[in-house]
Amino acid sequence: MSLLKIEIYTKRERNQAISDLVDAVNSSDGWVSGHQLFSNVAASIAFEIPYEGLTSFLSKLEEGDFTPHVAEAPLPKSKEIKGTIAITFIHEEPDMKRDVPAFG
């Protein structure tokens, strides 16, 4: 499997932006394998997509008003691609702290 790393910076409302990114993955025959929310400033979405769906996926991101910055591209002959989307939300809202449970 190849790894695709995408970075996105957006001023869009975060819940709708995340939903639109998930829809772009799903409509390109891919699936979301995980996610992580980092306050209201950043999020990460892990996904897998067939190599044949890559062009469609990147086009859907552009159409959705996202400008994806591909940090690392997949090898061209891979059947499936594992990827991550790192999203940074640009806004003037105060930082929304999340409680982190104790561990150890």
Side-chain angles (χ1 to χ4, degrees), residues 27 37 44 55 63 96:
S27 65
L37 302 175
S44 176
T55 302
E63 291 168 12
M96 181 177 72

Side-chain angles (χ1 to χ4, degrees), residues 16-32:
Q16 187 61 53
I18 290 170
S19 178
D20 290 348
L21 290 168
V22 169
D23 288 346
V25 171
N26 292 336
S27 65
S28 300
D29 294 328
W31 58 95
V32 172

Side-chain angles (χ1 to χ4, degrees), residues 14 37-43 88-98:
R14 67 184 169 281
L37 302 175
F38 304 101
S39 182
N40 60 347
V41 176
T88 301
F89 300 102
I90 301 167
H91 55 74
E92 298 196 20
E93 298 173 22
D95 191 18
M96 181 177 72
K97 306 244 182 213
R98 293 185 181 267

Side-chain angles (χ1 to χ4, degrees), residues 6-99:
I6 297 174
E7 297 173 353
I8 292 176
Y9 301 89
T10 184
K11 291 183 177 183
R12 294 183 57 193
E13 192 277 324
R14 67 184 169 281
N15 293 315
Q16 187 61 53
I18 290 170
S19 178
D20 290 348
L21 290 168
V22 169
D23 288 346
V25 171
N26 292 336
S27 65
S28 300
D29 294 328
W31 58 95
V32 172
S33 56
H35 72 282
Q36 183 69 45
L37 302 175
F38 304 101
S39 182
N40 60 347
V41 176
S44 176
I45 299 173
F47 66 94
E48 294 186 36
I49 194 167
Y51 187 78
E52 298 80 31
L54 180 59
T55 302
S56 170
F57 173 63
L58 293 174
S59 293
K60 289 177 194 300
L61 293 181
E62 295 275 343
E63 291 168 12
D65 233 2
F66 295 107
T67 304
H69 302 279
V70 178
E72 189 172 322
L75 300 172
K77 297 199 176 190
S78 182
K79 292 181 181 178
E80 290 182 346
I81 298 167
K82 282 189 174 185
T84 59
I85 304 171
I87 312 144
T88 301
F89 300 102
I90 301 167
H91 55 74
E92 298 196 20
E93 298 173 22
D95 191 18
M96 181 177 72
K97 306 244 182 213
R98 293 185 181 267
D99 291 330

